[in-house]
Amino acid sequence: MEKQPRLLASQLLLKNSLFEVSLNRVLLTWKEIATKKKRVSGGIHHPFKVGTSHGVSVSEILAVRELDVDCGTKDDGRWQKMPQKSTEAYPYAFTVSYVERAWQHRWRCSDVTFHCLEGALCQQWVQTIREQLTALTSRPKHLLVYINPYGGKQQGERIYEQKVAPLFTLASISTHVIVTEHANHARDHLRTEAELKKYDGVVCVGGDGMFSEMVHGLVSRTQRDNGVDQNSPEEKLVPCTLRIGIIPAGSTDCICYATVGINDPVTSALHIIVGDAQPMDVCSVHHNNTFLRYSVSLLGYGFYGDMLADSERKRWMGPARYDFSGFKTFLTHHYYEGTVSFLPATDILGTPRDKTRCRAGCFICQHNGQLYSEDAPEICETDPDVSDSEYKGGWRVIRGKFLAINAASMSCACPRSPKGLSPAAHLADGTTDLILVRKCSRFNFLRHLLRHTSKYDQFDMTFVEVHRVRRFRFTPRYCQSDSELDLRENGKRLFSQICRDHPACSCSPAYSSWNCDGEILPHAAIEVGCVTTPYNLLCKYTVHSESIQTPSLFPHFFTL
Ligand SMILES: Nc1ncnc2c1ncn2[C@@H]1O[C@H](COP(=O)(O)OP(=O)(O)OP(=O)(O)O)[C@@H](O)[C@H]1O
Ligand SMILES: CCCCCCCCCCCCC/C=C/[C@@H](O)[C@H](CO)NC(=O)CCCCC
Ligand SMILES: [Ca+2]
């Protein structure tokens, strides 16, 4: 790395030891001169430490504040007594708050206090560090925050007040906080009322459903403002300029976990404060040229659709509803007949079976699916290994009986499955991984599910296939025209009722529902495209076949 010129260098006192403290445009470092007792840091590691040298990247300094020489800390109200020795010889002091990496991708806020001989020197340090922080233009200053008081374990408000708000205050971020009063409150407010110009980003405190509300509110407003017809599956989406962030307080928290590496409110707040950003793929879902929804994590038909439909009736159980409904859905073992057509993403590097993972600075995402793989296979007319598949104009068509059809636009890692539904999926490559699980025995399906929680490959099974695609369509059997929709919907309800009344019935209903990021879609036949758009400050998102780059307020995690 190029050596940066020093902005400041002084000998300062830290915990009764003298340190050479130095600041350049990139790093704040402190190195012990007079060795005293060594400090044990209780399992938490400094960003880097060479012997008694410590360093923190300027981009990860949260705040700096002067201490009151007589009484303790100014500014943040947390008064602390100054050590006796330092007030005698080094009566002036300042505290630097910075990000410390902790265990399993967690971030924590840590403080270091330096004592100076002279007040002018102390002020020079504080002012210089503040100037450095002001120069960091990617950091948000004004945020619009939506809290879902009913997400997950209903702890959203407490999590925000106790863990997040103090950090935003410390980092001098102003906030406008709205506690939602009903479902879609945040989406509608963002779409129609919110004065977006006043903010650098929007933050939601909740789960994947709240994140989805942010995406729908912001993306819809951006398309409307730019005259884009969302109902046309072929229209290019215009990227949003505002970033979105999530403070995890939901049941699955898959979008947070898959982007940050952990579902921890403090870690997410710190990523937001330092201005980490990550674009992300967004899939638009249509039915007969009518826009239905956007998806950023899972679009699942069959197993995940049925499980969600059952779990929605058990919201009172909190996150445990997924375990209950998951077990019940596994026992019902329904399969669904239909045709999946998809456009394979052949012009990119990477496959769903790769061992490499999408991490901060991901090479494939940086090029956003624009790289051309020299080894990309030519599309052939027929595939001799798969008798029920065919190719039509670059599209591949597969008919069959499926226990699950899943499209994962990101890994979908979450606490239940830390590697996720598609571990090698990329956050922003403009593709989604289409996973087809054909009809098989209960035992084999259980083996497949359990592999999501172990080191074994969930795709290495004869009844599972996975394809990286730009677009796909699903048409259930017996459902070829839209005029049959009402009939189908009524038929589905009727059939479901019959099966509920006759639990011994082993038949499968004709239709499942789509689970779209945790929301149920009413149509079985859908058309999906994937595009990359940003979710930063707060996040990163991608959907259709082309890429739209929008900023995100999220963190790209795993920046070790
Ligand atoms: N005030 C509210 N009252 C009722 N529902 C709300 C309210 N605010 C938001 N919602 C809805 O609650 C649903 C679930 O919220 P959220 O995603 O935050 O939690 P979750 O479903 O428990 O978590 P996950 O999506 O991670 O599984 C969302 O679809 C959202 O639209
Ligand atoms: C017998 C043991 C089997 C264990 C199998 C574990 C497999 C876990 C795969 C993880 C898939 C997460 C997909 C994410 C979906 C979210 O968009 C959605 C909204 O939050 N959540 C669910 O639909 C709720 C999804 C709940 C998943 C359990
Ligand atoms: Ca993707």
Side-chain angles (χ1 to χ4, degrees), residues 210-227:
M210 273 305 276
F211 183 81
S212 176
E213 284 203 28
M214 304 285 114
V215 168
H216 282 85
L218 279 182
V219 175
S220 295
R221 180 157 168 174
T222 308
Q223 307 323 303
R224 193 193 59 205
D225 291 351
N226 288 279

Side-chain angles (χ1 to χ4, degrees), residues 280-282 296 365 408-411 425-433 468 530 532 542:
M280 113 198 290
D281 292 332
V282 178
V296 294
C365 287
S409 298
M410 57 170 68
S411 69
H426 286 274
L427 284 163
D429 64 345
T431 73
T432 189
D433 287 352
R468 189 154 285 176
C530 188
T532 306
T542 313

Side-chain angles (χ1 to χ4, degrees), residues 199-274:
Y199 305 103
D200 306 308
V202 293
V203 174
C204 59
V205 184
D208 299 325
M210 273 305 276
F211 183 81
S212 176
E213 284 203 28
M214 304 285 114
V215 168
H216 282 85
L218 279 182
V219 175
S220 295
R221 180 157 168 174
T222 308
Q223 307 323 303
R224 193 193 59 205
D225 291 351
N226 288 279
V228 174
D229 176 11
Q230 287 185 104
N231 287 322
S232 164
E234 306 302 329
E235 277 251 43
K236 278 198 173 177
L237 293 179
V238 175
C240 310
T241 49
L242 269 189
R243 292 180 285 177
I244 312 168
I246 319 180
I247 301 295
S251 302
T252 317
D253 290 330
C254 141
I255 294 162
C256 177
Y257 198 100
T259 51
V260 183
I262 192 77
N263 57 333
D264 174 61
V266 169
T267 305
S268 290
L270 293 174
H271 275 287
I272 289 169
I273 290 169
V274 302

Side-chain angles (χ1 to χ4, degrees), residues 144 146 176 178 186-199 202 218 221 224 242:
L144 176 57
Y146 296 95
H176 178 66
I178 296 174
R187 181 198 68 184
D188 296 343
H189 186 257
L190 274 174
R191 193 157 55 187
T192 54
E193 285 173 54
E195 282 186 74
L196 299 182
K197 284 199 181 81
K198 285 169 50 180
Y199 305 103
V202 293
L218 279 182
R221 180 157 168 174
R224 193 193 59 205
L242 269 189

Side-chain angles (χ1 to χ4, degrees), residues 445-463:
F445 189 51
L446 180 63
R447 283 176 56 227
H448 168 67
L449 288 178
L450 287 175
R451 286 190 181 192
H452 290 83
T453 63
S454 75
K455 63 178 183 175
Y456 297 106
D457 182 356
Q458 60 257 38
F459 303 140
D460 188 17
M461 310 184 101
T462 52
F463 53 92

